[in-house]
Amino acid sequence: MRTSTLATIRYGGMKSLLTSAHVVTMDDAEAEHPDGWILIEDGFVLEAGGGVEPEAEERVSLGGAVVTPGLVNTHHHLYQTLTRARAQQATLFEWLVELYPTWARIDDEAEYAAARTGLAELMLSGCTTVFDHHYVFPRGRSGLVEAEVRAAQELGCRLVASRGSMDLGASDGGLPPDELVEEIDAVLADTERLAGQLHETGPGARIQIAVAPCSPFSVTGRLMTESAELARRLGLQLHTHLAETVEEEAYCQELYGCTPVEYLDSLGWLDGDVWCAHCVHLSDAEIGRFAATGTGVAHCPTSNLRLGAGVAPVQAMTKAGVRVGLGVDGSASNERSHLFNEVKQALLVARGRGGPQAMTARQAFRLGTRGGAEVLGRDDIGAIAPGMCADLAVWATDGLELGGAVDPVAGLVFAGAHRVDRLYVGGELVVHGGALVRADEGDIARAHRVQASRFAQ
Ligand SMILES: [Zn+2]
């Protein structure tokens, strides 16, 4: 047996034990072990508990840190790190119309730099699994999804990438400019190609592909329907934006004579393999419909506040049994890819809406971990329990912001943890001492600045 402070977590049957930790499992019993340990083998959790420690070939002391499941981000647009702080006082539609022409310049080189930046930010905020909703595919550009997959593989996080789409251009009554919309057949063929090349299944999948047409105001009903058919034939998850703003509701009423949720329902979209971003403007009946069909929600509180869109009724959703996870949303409407900040934000907006009883610190934490895993249709991440991926976020408790906190878990949420101390993905250490293990943060930022300068005007 060897003891160290730097877990090497080897594969091939070696058992490693993380000790001296306050373990927050997020398991079915919501167990916490203040004097806890986690036993890991081959990238998965063998056992977690407190008190008497099991035998292991390697022991790693975490010095009293809080250990939680790695956070799961359920909605992002990584490419938007290139275009932050634009359209500063715009509504969603004004913001989109201003940014579309700039986004039309995206290519694989810029996408790669953007993804490395967004993924690094997310990992340093405790996130181990990222969903990225990419839907901007200018004609003639290739390799965009491949670029973000490469970035995730290099940095060491899990990625669910989407082959998104838009086919309803301005000349047909849609919001995006015609240069950014695609032909339906091309979208579906490329989605199937990417799924065939990149989508992994089973416990521990590192890279997955989701089918994600952009929104009711940028995609035709036919592409929505055919996307759902393709996803179900290939066994992929389905995602779109929904009910984000009052303008979207008015648009759907005018064009389709119904609410955005009713429209999606009419297309056969509400089901257990679907999750939708935002869902700010849902009636009680629509929340009931989400619960009855098993449709999930990516709650993005900071982005919703930044664009003045409103606050999603998350308390009513979770009470009704709707699957809810958290998302940072794109970096042009949040500006930061800090998922732990969304845990704090979710708690604050819930309390702003429903009073101090509306959400506990642990309920907020659950949204960011277990809730996110459920939304992505994953039963191998989001909790620390036997058979789950060893995706772990280690939060130091001896820094400035937790001094005097009698409950370190609530302290983390109320304070909003600044930076994770360690991050394990599949048992491998990818952040150590608050720094990326496989890349240099300064190098990522420098390369990003070069690419972002191409989008400055
Ligand atoms: Zn979004």
Side-chain angles (χ1 to χ4, degrees):
M1 189 197 78
R2 51 188 280 278
T3 301
S4 72
T5 56
L6 178 64
T8 48
I9 313 292
R10 293 184 199 116
Y11 292 82
M14 189 176 95
K15 292 177 184 167
S16 298
L17 188 72
L18 305 182
T19 67
S20 304
H22 182 125
V23 179
V24 181
T25 66
M26 295 289 163
D27 66 6
D28 293 339
E30 299 181 0
E32 284 185 28
H33 308 291
D35 182 21
W37 46 260
I38 304 167
L39 188 64
I40 298 169
E41 186 180 40
D42 288 340
F44 291 89
V45 174
L46 274 183
E47 202 181 346
V52 180
E53 296 174 358
E55 291 296 317
E57 282 90 356
E58 179 191 55
R59 303 167 80 83
V60 180
S61 172
L62 296 179
V66 171
V67 183
T68 67
L71 301 178
V72 179
N73 186 36
T74 61
H75 189 68
H76 204 341
H77 312 286
L78 291 164
Y79 74 94
Q80 291 181 10
T81 58
L82 297 162
T83 59
R84 295 195 244 223
R86 316 285 173 97
Q88 295 173 14
Q89 283 156 280
T91 65
L92 172 68
F93 281 10
E94 293 163 352
W95 174 89
L96 282 167
V97 167
E98 182 169 333
L99 282 161
Y100 281 137
T102 308
W103 293 340
R105 292 182 227 153
I106 191 82
D107 59 19
D108 58 342
E109 213 180 352
E111 178 71 31
Y112 174 71
R116 279 174 69 85
T117 295
L119 293 172
E121 284 185 86
L122 280 159
M123 291 169 69
L124 293 169
S125 75
C127 179
T128 47
T129 299
V130 178
F131 167 66
D132 186 55
H133 188 181
H134 194 81
Y135 56 84
V136 177
F137 291 86
R139 288 175 204 156
R141 312 279 165 74
S142 60
L144 298 175
V145 173
E146 291 90 334
E148 55 181 280
V149 166
R150 185 156 59 94
Q153 288 170 331
E154 287 171 0
L155 296 179
C157 63
R158 298 184 203 278
L159 178 72
V160 181
S162 78
R163 202 323 179 167
S165 54
M166 299 191 289
D167 74 328
L168 187 63
S171 62
D172 292 320
L175 203 63
D178 289 347
E179 64 183 302
L180 271 187
V181 300
E182 299 177 272
E183 298 295 330
I184 292 179
D185 290 348
V187 168
L188 298 174
D190 198 42
T191 307
E192 189 157 3
R193 175 186 71 81
L194 287 165
Q197 289 177 4
L198 298 169
H199 184 71
E200 299 171 13
T201 57
R206 289 265 181 171
I207 303 293
Q208 295 192 307
I209 298 292
V211 183
C214 186
S215 65
F217 50 83
S218 59
V219 177
T220 61
R222 192 184 142 211
L223 179 54
M224 293 295 288
T225 306
E226 295 194 15
S227 293
E229 285 170 6
L230 178 73
R232 284 163 184 156
R233 177 162 66 77
L234 299 178
L236 305 178
Q237 300 283 304
L238 269 168
H239 178 70
T240 194
H241 291 97
L242 193 75
E244 184 173 354
T245 64
V246 289
E247 290 86 2
E248 178 187 336
E249 175 134 5
Y251 178 92
C252 279
Q253 288 289 0
E254 190 182 327
L255 221 68
Y256 310 121
C258 60
T259 69
V261 174
E262 289 166 347
Y263 176 61
L264 216 64
D265 206 358
S266 74
L267 298 172
W269 259 66
L270 298 190
D271 215 330
D273 56 356
V274 177
W275 85 104
C276 302
H278 305 304
C279 301
V280 172
H281 302 280
L282 259 56
S283 67
D284 288 347
E286 290 173 337
I287 290 171
R289 186 76 187 127
F290 265 57
T293 55
T295 309
V297 171
H299 176 40
C300 306
T302 299
S303 171
N304 296 151
L305 294 176
R306 196 284 203 188
L307 290 170
V311 175
V314 166
Q315 194 195 14
M317 290 176 186
T318 52
K319 206 170 159 194
V322 176
R323 294 180 290 141
V324 182
L326 298 179
V328 295
D329 201 2
S331 296
S333 67
N334 179 331
E335 271 69 16
R336 207 162 173 210
S337 306
H338 195 293
L339 189 52
F340 199 93
N341 199 46
E342 300 305 308
V343 173
K344 174 177 178 176
Q345 197 78 283
L347 176 120
L348 294 182
V349 296
R351 291 182 173 199
R353 194 181 164 110
Q357 305 287 332
M359 188 178 287
T360 68
R362 284 165 174 81
Q363 285 168 340
F365 225 136
R366 191 188 187 287
L367 292 176
T369 52
R370 189 84 183 262
E374 290 168 357
V375 162
L376 295 185
R378 296 282 297 250
D379 60 7
D380 61 334
I381 57 174
I384 302 172
M388 305 294 280
C389 293
D391 289 6
L392 310 168
V394 180
W395 308 94
T397 52
D398 55 0
L400 296 175
E401 72 270 25
L402 282 186
V406 294
D407 175 348
V409 181
L412 279 169
V413 176
F414 288 136
H418 299 171
R419 191 176 269 242
V420 77
D421 181 49
R422 294 169 179 237
L423 194 71
Y424 294 89
V425 177
E428 184 195 348
L429 196 62
V430 292
V431 173
H432 184 234
L436 298 169
V437 171
R438 295 193 187 181
D440 180 79
E441 200 177 323
D443 291 344
I444 292 174
R446 269 187 293 280
H448 185 266
R449 277 200 296 280
V450 171
Q451 292 300 322
S453 68
R454 296 169 51 205
F455 297 78
Q457 298 302 320

